[in-house]
Amino acid sequence: MHFTKPVLAAILFLCLGLSAFGQCVHVGGGIITNVGVISADRTLGTATGDLRGAIGVQIVSQSPGPGGTTVLTVHHFWVTESGDTIFVDPAQLTAKLVAPNLFAVVTYPLSISGGTGKFKGATGKLKAIGEVDFNDGQVGLRYSGRVCFATSDDDKDAAAVTHSDAPVAANVAVPAELPRPVSNVIAREHRLVIPAAAK
């Protein structure tokens, strides 16, 4: 009898998938922007892949970094193709000069801290690598990481109603956050899927 709650939680997970717990997915894509479109300290362009849409970056400050690198502190403006805004914490891009006015992006960690639409309450960690070419005013990056979407109240209501025994469903403990999977096989099964009609 003491196995009832774990068994019911497992059944709930199998029936509803990650939507009962919030969903964490691996994301990836590219970012291409032009430097100096509005002013010398701003870039504008597009993001492709799982977070596709429009993106802009404002360079807030520049300082020397370790090992002859340059550190740019930046602020992001990211709106997905569907119109959701992604809030990104201020970030630091570390780049190494490889030719006159051409920088290789060595580290560029990004933290997602919410947004609008499906990104309301979302969290995530991304990393990007690439190149910044101030000669031609172009930036090309590849991003990858993980985004965890918040569970909406509608999802929680659906989880309780789906179980045929309402008192039992009300007592099933649903964790607030799904722990990271032990294996990447599990993570790959839950990638963000964009319907072909939305592309």
Side-chain angles (χ1 to χ4, degrees):
M1 198 59 145
H2 62 282
F3 293 110
T4 305
K5 284 187 180 181
V7 169
L8 289 175
I11 292 169
L12 182 65
F13 178 75
L14 290 173
C15 293
L16 298 174
L18 292 174
S19 65
F21 303 102
Q23 184 176 23
C24 295
V25 295
H26 290 276
V27 295
I31 297 172
I32 305 227
T33 65
N34 292 333
V35 178
V37 176
I38 296 174
S39 60
D41 64 340
R42 293 184 187 240
T43 73
L44 288 176
T46 58
T48 64
D50 298 310
L51 304 178
R52 67 180 166 270
I55 188 165
V57 175
Q58 179 181 13
I59 302 169
V60 178
S61 67
Q62 176 181 333
S63 61
T69 60
T70 300
V71 177
L72 301 176
T73 301
V74 296
H75 179 77
H76 296 83
F77 307 91
W78 201 324
V79 179
T80 66
E81 190 175 69
S82 63
D84 297 334
T85 301
I86 302 172
F87 299 150
V88 180
D89 294 339
Q92 291 191 324
L93 179 154
T94 302
K96 180 87 172 164
L97 186 66
V98 294
N101 291 318
L102 180 64
F103 291 85
V105 177
V106 180
T107 62
Y108 190 7
L110 303 165
S111 293
I112 294 175
S113 58
T116 64
K118 78 176 189 176
F119 290 92
K120 182 178 180 183
T123 59
K125 298 286 184 192
L126 307 175
K127 64 180 181 177
I129 58 169
E131 167 182 288
V132 178
D133 183 351
F134 286 110
N135 294 312
D136 294 328
Q138 299 173 350
V139 177
L141 301 169
R142 172 90 178 147
Y143 71 87
S144 63
R146 184 175 177 92
V147 176
C148 295
F149 296 95
T151 302
S152 71
D153 290 334
D154 293 339
D155 290 339
K156 292 175 189 170
D157 292 342
V161 172
T162 301
H163 196 284
S164 60
D165 186 355
V168 173
N171 290 323
V172 174
V174 178
E177 185 176 358
L178 183 65
R180 287 189 146 187
V182 176
S183 136
N184 283 338
V185 173
I186 295 171
R188 276 187 248 126
E189 292 175 2
H190 300 289
R191 289 188 186 269
L192 181 63
V193 178
I194 310 285
K199 291 183 179 178

